Amino acid sequence: MKELQEIVKAYDDATERGLKTALATVVHVEGSAYRHEGARMLVTENGELTGAISGGCLEGDALRKARLAIVESRNTLVTYDTTDDDDATMGVGLGCNGVIQVLLEPLNPGDEFNPIHLFRSYLAKRQEAVLGTFFSLQNKLAPQAGTSVLLTSDRGQQGFLDSAVKDAFLADAGKVLKCAESLIVNYHDTITGFIEYLKPPVHLLIFGAGNDAMPLVQFAHILGWEVSVIDGRANYATTNRFPSASQVLVSKPEHCLSGIVIDHWTVAVLMTHNYNYDIAALRQLSNFDLKYIGALGPKKKLQRMLDELQENEIPLSAEKLDIVFGPTGLDIGSETPEEIALSIVSEIKAVLSNRTGTSLKFRPAEQNAVELVSKKHPNAKFSSCAINL
């Protein structure tokens, strides 16, 4: 999400300066790579880069080839094979051992459905979307359709969709939305589709505008999350103190969710250091289907709040209790506000990714093997949403 926002901004700036641009997109990965399908980079004709398609080793060559694609005004599919001795030096800096397909698309400002315009339509509101990018792995000299269609709930289908793949693509797009997983599909011998699931950014609600909330807002902003800061103290809850927050609201405890839009991608942290305010927020948050609610402070404080809700006939189900984390944050030995903020955003990210937050050193080898197979065979999903090979 953040990368798309930065690419759109850089494209607008380049267009204003009269510079031609191209979009580089990782569309297929087999084996290991620093970044995977959906990684993007905007290239200007004078060599400016926004975004990234690797850890740095592919960008230089991709820049050169993207500028050539701009001159030729032609979509191009480029292969980087870091398993090949000739290309291996490109992967040394990444520790890569895979085959990476990068699609280069010159951008025409006059095309109402060029990829940037599709991104802009998706970014216009918080929504799920499906983006279709089409290319030919079998014949790289054939025309590469590129990023050509977007499906959103508010505007439906936008862009051009080849009649040969339309029905199949629409069916696959439905599966992608249902499963919230991107797919790579071979439609026939000459067309492969990267059917990408796009979701809104995480929306972090921070109840409390004390000094310890400042680094938490900053960390979340760096990650591209939207942040709302809510507090009852007008001299604390100000935009001057939280310039990177999406919104800063002054509210009484009983109305602390007024003016807040809560959806499936919303998480919350209670850190007002005021028991009555925190429990009022928790009481109201319990009415929503969130994935994470964190409570700063000792565990006994959280238990007291839960017991009080129970006594007032507002019991939390086992499912609700599972998403309440207190003390909030991973156990990394945090002491300073900055370290505590790091532990909190890390725990939220782990929960949203269904991970434990364990050191990668101790990740089971079997899990690595499953992920490697899923990268080699993207249609072989290990879930109820499987599309079998």
Side-chain angles (χ1 to χ4, degrees):
M1 181 72 164
K2 183 180 180 182
E3 189 169 67
L4 288 184
Q5 293 171 333
E6 292 174 345
I7 285 174
V8 170
K9 182 179 179 181
Y11 170 82
D12 289 341
D13 178 66
T15 301
E16 287 182 4
R17 292 184 287 147
L19 295 174
K20 295 181 179 179
T21 58
L23 182 68
T25 306
V26 176
V27 294
H28 191 278
V29 174
E30 184 174 353
S32 63
Y34 185 83
R35 298 204 65 187
H36 295 291
E37 293 89 349
R40 293 182 173 86
M41 177 176 74
L42 185 78
V43 178
T44 65
E45 61 180 318
N46 65 347
E48 298 172 1
L49 304 177
T50 302
I53 56 172
S54 74
C57 66
L58 302 183
E59 275 71 6
D61 188 74
L63 166 62
R64 179 176 62 83
K65 291 176 179 174
R67 293 167 90 176
L68 178 61
I70 291 174
V71 172
E72 296 179 345
S73 190
R74 180 175 63 89
N75 291 352
T76 306
L77 189 66
V78 179
T79 301
Y80 295 100
D81 186 352
T82 59
T83 66
D84 188 300
D85 290 339
D86 292 334
D87 284 353
T89 54
M90 291 187 176
V92 170
L94 301 175
C96 292
N97 186 30
V99 181
I100 305 161
Q101 308 287 347
V102 177
L103 181 65
L104 305 174
E105 302 176 81
L107 300 173
N108 177 8
D111 179 3
E112 65 173 321
F113 294 127
N114 86 26
I116 300 299
H117 296 326
L118 297 179
F119 299 161
R120 200 189 310 280
S121 179
Y122 157 65
L123 293 169
K125 62 182 294 188
R126 289 182 63 84
Q127 60 184 326
E128 291 178 292
V130 175
L131 186 68
T133 302
F134 303 92
F135 51 96
S136 176
L137 286 174
Q138 292 74 20
N139 184 1
K140 295 176 184 176
L141 297 179
Q144 306 290 336
T147 306
S148 54
V149 63
L150 177 74
L151 295 179
T152 59
S153 58
D154 63 330
R155 297 184 62 183
Q157 177 184 322
Q158 302 169 64
F160 173 77
L161 189 57
D162 191 321
S163 59
V165 302
K166 181 176 181 179
D167 291 342
F169 167 77
L170 292 176
D172 289 332
K175 296 172 185 176
V176 165
L177 283 174
K178 179 181 179 182
C179 302
E181 293 181 353
S182 299
L183 291 175
I184 294 179
V185 181
N186 293 320
Y187 286 108
H188 50 70
D189 291 341
T190 59
I191 298 180
T192 299
F194 172 38
I195 317 305
E196 184 177 6
Y197 173 68
L198 301 175
K199 62 183 178 181
V202 174
H203 182 195
L204 172 60
L205 307 181
I206 301 177
F207 295 90
N211 291 345
D212 55 352
M214 291 179 174
L216 181 56
V217 173
Q218 293 169 350
F219 273 120
H221 177 69
I222 290 172
L223 293 172
W225 297 359
E226 294 180 359
V227 185
S228 296
V229 179
I230 308 100
D231 200 301
R233 301 166 293 180
N235 59 324
Y236 278 72
T238 68
T239 54
N240 287 336
R241 284 169 55 81
F242 299 97
S244 59
S246 304
Q247 58 180 343
V248 181
L249 302 174
V250 179
S251 175
K252 294 181 179 180
E254 60 270 21
H255 303 300
C256 63
L257 292 186
S258 298
I260 300 290
V261 177
I262 295 181
D263 57 27
H264 188 61
W265 302 274
T266 301
V267 296
V269 176
L270 310 175
M271 52 189 308
T272 66
H273 302 280
N274 182 304
Y275 179 87
N276 291 330
Y277 203 111
D278 280 354
I279 193 172
L282 181 58
R283 180 182 296 109
Q284 294 168 68
L285 290 170
S286 67
N287 295 318
F288 296 90
D289 184 21
L290 304 184
K291 291 185 177 180
Y292 182 96
I293 300 174
L296 189 68
K299 184 172 292 186
K300 63 180 181 180
K301 173 190 172 184
L302 174 60
Q303 189 58 54
R304 178 185 168 190
M305 288 195 291
L306 296 174
D307 291 342
E308 186 172 332
L309 292 179
Q310 177 77 30
E311 292 170 3
N312 286 279
E313 299 182 352
I314 310 176
L316 298 183
S317 66
E319 292 76 13
K320 293 284 187 181
L321 290 173
D322 281 344
I323 59 93
V324 178
F325 292 77
T328 181
L330 295 180
D331 183 6
I332 59 174
S334 303
E335 292 187 11
T336 67
E338 291 78 13
E339 293 170 345
I340 293 170
L342 175 62
S343 75
I344 293 173
V345 296
S346 298
E347 181 175 61
I348 293 173
K349 174 58 182 172
V351 169
L352 295 180
S353 301
N354 293 317
R355 297 297 177 92
T356 62
T358 305
S359 174
L360 291 173
K361 176 179 180 179
F362 304 111
R363 188 160 79 164
E366 295 80 10
Q367 184 175 356
N368 293 331
V370 167
E371 292 191 357
L372 179 58
V373 170
S374 69
K375 295 310 299 179
K376 287 186 176 181
H377 304 287
N379 288 353
K381 298 298 180 180
F382 298 88
S383 71
S384 60
C385 298
I387 296 178
N388 296 322
L389 288 171

